[in-house]
């Protein structure tokens, strides 16, 4: 296994995941697991006297989850939203009409679509920049820049941005510019953007953090109290909040995040090496393979790699489609980070709304396959990939 596997996890990660934010009900029945508080409203002992008032404004199950999330990112505060994209849109409300946003050109299709089509309607000027090149970020900064949106590793191209270098550069230019990093592909177990100098660590909790393909939710984690107060206000005022039951499910998922991520990493590396040596595969993109152009950077800023990888099947659209149709175990579906391996065809699925020239410019060609390597017995995964590749591609 690569030297990445020797990276130490963040100190006390597992203990934090299991104990922080677990609001034990010591006064009621003594429940070890905090109850799920589904009540929409709360009794006031006198007008205006209460701990909780109304569940859009705040809710104990949400609060407990947010405490865990903040601790796992080594941040002070977290705010959760109804989806990862809701978190993107609420973070974007921290800046105002006339401000400029730099968004990484390689990013999640929904984020790309949001910045290009929604944010501009709100009067923001959005520039798409290849943020893997620090000089290009430097060239794109202006006196009106207020938000820089990064994603590393990028979906689906697995390109890596030097989070510390970009954060330092942006803050040296103007300390008031917010640097936000989408940490979804790594999860809090492998990467902590706030430690690397970012102002906001964003995640789609739908993916690795909940980890069971049964919740849609997003979060923003910050250190700055004033920034948190603004996010807390946006949660309350715009109301894009998650349900208490979903909060409970993510809290439960987080207790095994460390175990799941280690196994995603092990399976991911085995599958990546298998594909790299396969005659039907042109090229593999996995941040833990020495062949990845930013392998050294990954080792510097992350504690390991998840189960996310991409590869180019030999041939074109026809071979890619035939490969996908012939898979028997690996599930053809969007999303990622669950126990079951999921495979997607970015050109026709996750990035179908991204203009073709933008897509091709970042390497999303018709033969690109994205794979979320799950937690199954790894030999079953390589066997399924092998039979589907050999059926689809003539070698
Ligand atoms: C899924 C995803 C999102 C959007 O999150 P939702 O929970 O689907 O709204 C954002 N960024 C990345 C990298 C994602 O994978």
């Amino acid at each position: 296994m690569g030297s990445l596997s020797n990276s130490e996890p963040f100190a006390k990660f597992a203990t934090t995941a299991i104990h922080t934010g677990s609001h034990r009900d010591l006064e009621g029945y003594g429940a070890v697991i905090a109850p799920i508080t589904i009540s929409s409203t709360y009794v006031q002992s006198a007008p205006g006297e209460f701990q909780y008032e109304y569940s859009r404004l705040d809710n104990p199950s949400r609060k407990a989850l947010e405490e865990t999330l903040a601790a796992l990112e080594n941040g002070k505060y977290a705010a959760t939203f109804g989806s990862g994209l809701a978190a993107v849109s609420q973070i974007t409300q921290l800046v105002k009409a006339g401000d400029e946003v730099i968004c990484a050109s390689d990013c999640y299709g929904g984020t790309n679509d949001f910045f290009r089509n929604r944010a501009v309607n709100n009067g923001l000027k959005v520039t798409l920049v290849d943020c893997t090149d620090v000089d290009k970020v430097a060239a794109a900064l202006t006196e009106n820049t207020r938000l820089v949106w990064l994603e590393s590793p990028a979906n689906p191209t697995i390109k890596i941005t030097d989070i510390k270098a970009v954060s330092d550069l942006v803050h040296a230019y103007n300390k008031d510019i917010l640097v936000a990093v989408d940490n979804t592909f790594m999860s809090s177990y492998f990467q902590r953007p706030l430690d690397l100098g970012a102002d906001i660590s964003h995640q789609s909790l739908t993916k690795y953090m909940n980890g069971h393909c049964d919740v849609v939710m997003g979060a923003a984690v910050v250190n700055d109290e004033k920034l948190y107060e603004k996010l807390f206000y946006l949660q309350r005022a715009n109301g894009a909040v998650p349900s208490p039951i979903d909060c409970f499910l993510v809290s439960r998922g987080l207790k095994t995040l460390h175990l799941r991520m280690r196994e995603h990493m092990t399976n991911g590396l085995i599958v990546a090496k298998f594909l790299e040596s396969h005659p039907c595969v042109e090229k593999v993109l996995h941040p833990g393979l020495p062949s990845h152009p930013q392998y050294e950077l990954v080792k510097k800023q992350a504690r390991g790699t998840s189960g996310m990888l991409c590869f180019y099947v030999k041939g074109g659209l026809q071979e890619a489609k035939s490969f996908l149709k012939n898979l028997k175990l690996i599930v053809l579906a969007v999303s990622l980070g669950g126990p079951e391996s999921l495979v997607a065809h970015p050109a026709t699925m996750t990035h179908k709304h991204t203009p073709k020239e933008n897509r091709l410019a970042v390497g999303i060609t018709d033969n690109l396959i994205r794979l979320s390597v799950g937690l199954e017995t790894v030999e079953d995964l390589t066997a399924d990939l092998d039979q589907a590749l050999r059926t689809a591609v003539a070698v």
Side-chain angles (χ1 to χ4, degrees), residues 83-85 108 151 155 182 184-185 204 206-207 216-217 336:
S83 69
L85 212 53
Y108 177 70
E151 185 175 307
N155 181 8
D182 186 331
T184 304
F185 267 34
S204 167
T206 313
K207 316 297 167 51
V216 172
M217 201 189 297
L336 58 109

Side-chain angles (χ1 to χ4, degrees), residues 170-362:
V170 170
H171 291 142
Y173 182 84
N174 178 350
K175 65 174 177 34
D176 294 330
I177 301 175
L178 294 172
V179 176
V181 179
D182 186 331
N183 201 26
T184 304
F185 267 34
M186 279 299 192
S187 88
S188 312
Y189 185 67
F190 287 130
Q191 184 166 274
R192 285 179 164 168
L194 300 181
D195 285 358
L196 299 166
D199 301 290
I200 301 172
S201 178
H202 163 272
Q203 272 197 68
S204 167
L205 304 176
T206 313
K207 316 297 167 51
Y208 284 114
M209 298 289 271
N210 176 60
H212 293 75
C213 289
D214 51 14
V215 167
V216 172
M217 201 189 297
V221 181
V222 300
N223 269 320
D224 184 78
E225 189 179 353
K226 289 213 166 64
L227 191 52
Y228 170 67
E229 275 166 10
K230 288 182 193 165
L231 287 168
F232 188 42
Y233 172 73
L234 289 170
Q235 263 186 324
R236 300 155 71 98
N238 288 339
V241 292
S243 84
I245 293 176
D246 285 353
C247 290
F248 159 75
L249 285 170
V250 178
S251 290
R252 182 162 76 165
L254 288 176
K255 290 179 204 279
T256 54
L257 180 68
H258 55 294
L259 301 175
R260 292 185 285 107
M261 293 317 292
R262 283 180 206 154
E263 196 70 4
H264 279 297
M265 175 166 168
T266 302
N267 278 4
L269 277 166
I270 292 171
V271 169
K273 284 175 190 163
F274 167 80
L275 289 170
E276 197 162 53
S277 64
H278 200 283
C280 304
V281 172
E282 202 175 282
K283 188 176 160 189
V284 179
L285 302 168
H286 183 291
L289 289 180
S291 59
H292 191 287
Q294 294 149 306
Y295 177 68
E296 293 302 325
L297 175 56
V298 179
K299 279 204 287 191
K300 201 175 75 180
Q301 73 180 11
R303 301 283 176 119
T305 53
S306 68
M308 291 310 297
L309 64 92
C310 276
F311 64 98
Y312 294 91
V313 61
K314 278 191 184 156
L317 187 60
Q318 194 192 324
E319 284 78 5
K321 280 195 164 163
S322 166
F323 160 72
L324 292 166
K325 267 193 0 218
N326 280 297
L327 286 167
K328 295 187 169 77
L329 174 67
I330 299 172
V331 184
L332 177 63
V334 298
S335 202
L336 58 109
E340 48 286 285
S341 294
L342 299 178
V343 71
H345 185 237
T348 58
M349 293 166 68
T350 53
H351 286 65
K352 64 171 180 259
H353 297 302
T354 306
K356 190 167 181 191
E357 60 277 15
N358 293 17
R359 197 159 60 66
L360 295 180
V362 297

